[in-house]
Amino acid sequence: MISFKHVNKHFGDFQVLTDINLEIKEGEVVVVVGPSGSGKSTLLRCINRLETITDGELMVNKKLLNSKDTNINDLRKEIGMVFQHFNLYPHMTVLENITLAPRKALGISTAEANETAMFYLNKVGIPDKADSYPSQLSGGQQQRVAIARGLALKPHIMLFDEPTSALDPEMIGEVLDVMKTLAKDGMTMVVVTHEMGFAHEVANRVVFMDHGRILEESEPAAFFSNPKEDRARLFLSRVL
Ligand code: ADP
Ligand code: MG
């Protein structure tokens, strides 16, 4: 579903990603961990081409990302992204926030978009909030709306960039639970998170990054019990 081959990415003179090689199959959940500034967000953002790679090959759902023939708007419809900050429109209801992109980008009728939105609001456990405004919701509920909004485009891939980092501790669990359900349903997911419990329980693989490189790629049990790299060991000793 996603394939990085010898991918490099520069911001001017600064090399942010170095020789990234990573294969993610359909239905896999890959958790990316590593210190702040190691390139995790940039790696995710390359997948939906919020950032362009400098060289190497990046394929997403059989399409080459750095090719003129690839329609980026079509590609983005296949990929949902959830950020640390939920970025809901404050002047729109939950339902309007979720249906905006399907109506505008996919040209789906309001009735059908509403039906789809309600399906995903049920899935994230807050169908009763459809007519509320974001300010009337808790942080955890707002993030669940953001996930429903991503799902409403019926993507093949969901990217999560520290989705629980801005939440109060008591709300982290409800968002992780929604993500676990998605994983069980077979969604292909790439998740940047510091929630090591989630990584342990849900990930098929853990990818450890440092200074723009993938230093280790392991099954969670192996990664957490016996990391191969000293830097991964040091990182774990700080976050666990
Ligand atoms: P992480 O998500 O692991 O914290 P990032 O991918 O956000 O790391 O950033 C990796 C490095 O790239 C950091 O040193 C950051 O300052 C730098 N960086 C990120 N975005 C840009 C940008 N648009 N221009 C220049 N440097 C950037
Ligand atoms: Mg980041």
Side-chain angles (χ1 to χ4, degrees):
M1 196 62 117
I2 303 169
S3 159
F4 287 80
K5 289 200 176 108
H6 303 296
V7 167
N8 295 301
K9 159 84 186 155
H10 296 77
F11 287 119
D13 289 341
F14 177 65
Q15 182 155 9
V16 56
L17 297 176
T18 304
D19 196 28
I20 299 293
N21 293 285
L22 181 64
E23 303 281 332
I24 300 173
K25 295 194 194 73
E26 188 166 5
E28 269 193 309
V29 178
V30 172
V31 169
V32 181
V33 302
S36 177
S38 57
K40 305 179 299 295
S41 293
T42 305
L43 179 92
L44 271 197
R45 292 162 60 83
C46 286
I47 296 172
N48 63 358
R49 239 188 69 177
L50 287 174
E51 303 288 354
T52 53
I53 65 174
T54 309
D55 53 53
E57 188 187 286
L58 175 52
M59 306 259 302
V60 176
N61 204 7
K62 301 187 186 77
K63 292 183 200 78
L64 203 54
L65 250 61
N66 42 341
S67 156
K68 284 192 202 73
D69 299 333
T70 301
N71 182 323
I72 292 308
N73 289 325
D74 284 348
L75 177 93
R76 290 209 180 120
K77 288 173 202 157
E78 298 175 22
I79 304 173
M81 185 152 182
V82 175
F83 302 90
Q84 183 174 344
H85 299 287
F86 343 113
N87 303 324
L88 300 175
Y89 291 109
H91 60 288
M92 290 185 185
T93 65
V94 163
L95 200 66
E96 287 164 349
N97 265 284
I98 298 172
T99 58
L100 184 69
R103 288 188 291 113
K104 300 287 177 204
L106 303 183
I108 287 169
S109 72
T110 302
E112 192 186 339
N114 285 350
E115 197 177 318
T116 304
M118 287 311 302
F119 176 82
Y120 288 109
L121 272 180
N122 265 300
K123 202 153 190 81
V124 301
I126 42 173
D128 51 319
K129 301 295 182 193
D131 297 320
S132 300
Y133 286 88
S135 62
Q136 298 170 309
L137 306 183
S138 72
Q141 290 169 336
Q142 290 186 53
Q143 191 59 303
R144 287 191 275 158
V145 172
I147 294 173
R149 178 180 56 182
L151 292 171
L153 288 169
K154 302 191 178 157
H156 290 108
I157 299 167
M158 284 290 284
L159 308 176
F160 293 87
D161 195 355
E162 301 199 27
T164 60
S165 294
L167 298 178
D168 291 334
E170 71 269 23
M171 290 165 192
I172 292 174
E174 65 192 53
V175 171
L176 294 178
D177 283 345
V178 167
M179 293 166 64
K180 281 178 205 169
T181 307
L182 269 185
K184 280 205 198 90
D185 288 351
M187 178 64 79
T188 307
M189 293 165 57
V190 189
V191 183
V192 175
T193 184
H194 300 295
E195 292 297 326
M196 296 301 145
F198 175 86
H200 210 144
E201 190 183 335
V202 182
N204 299 104
R205 264 179 302 146
V206 176
V207 167
F208 174 72
M209 291 185 71
D210 196 16
H211 290 103
R213 294 175 186 271
I214 293 179
L215 291 192
E216 177 161 353
E217 198 187 321
S218 308
E219 290 185 5
F223 180 75
F224 289 108
S225 64
N226 190 17
K228 286 178 258 179
E229 290 286 334
D230 285 345
R231 274 187 276 180
R233 200 165 292 138
L234 183 66
F235 172 77
L236 284 176
S237 73
R238 286 184 182 143
V239 296
L240 286 179

